[in-house]
Amino acid sequence: MNTLKTSLFIMGLIALAAIAYALMAQPAPNVDTRAETPRAQENMDAAPSAKINIDAVCEGALAYMTFPDGAAADVFVGECKEGKHPEVIEKYKASLNLDGATI
């Protein structure tokens, strides 16, 4: 009789463990993280439109270019910001796969 009680007790523990596992293994419910206000919803549904920061691109070009001195680098950055070095912008867009991006 003692072995019957032990067997039932072990089977009960296994059943409880299986139920606990089944409850914990269920996927999390889908939560809608979208904004609740209509205006915010419109902003989320709109296509992303970002413009390139020309100052950051031109100054960032200094990282892969060499100049004889700081004055020459400053002249280059100024010219780049004026649009005299479009290859810098093209290289930046190509590095980010932004072929159709507007400046």
Side-chain angles (χ1 to χ4, degrees):
M1 188 85 169
N2 197 12
T3 58
L4 179 62
K5 287 182 181 180
T6 305
S7 297
L8 289 175
F9 179 74
I10 292 173
M11 291 170 123
L13 285 178
I14 292 173
L16 284 175
I19 292 171
Y21 176 77
L23 291 175
M24 296 176 86
Q26 290 181 351
N30 291 336
V31 178
D32 188 9
T33 58
R34 292 182 168 213
E36 295 179 15
T37 62
R39 184 78 174 142
Q41 183 65 38
E42 289 174 13
N43 291 340
M44 291 177 69
D45 291 338
S49 61
K51 293 194 177 193
I52 297 172
N53 183 347
I54 192 75
D55 295 337
V57 172
C58 291
E59 291 170 8
L62 297 176
Y64 60 85
M65 299 183 76
T66 57
F67 298 94
D69 55 20
D74 291 339
V75 169
F76 173 82
V77 170
E79 290 176 348
C80 179
K81 289 178 182 181
E82 292 172 8
K84 295 181 181 176
H85 297 285
E87 69 277 3
V88 173
I89 283 76
E90 293 303 318
K91 182 174 180 172
Y92 177 77
K93 290 192 310 187
S95 73
L96 296 177
N97 295 326
L98 297 175
D99 296 330
T102 59
I103 298 176

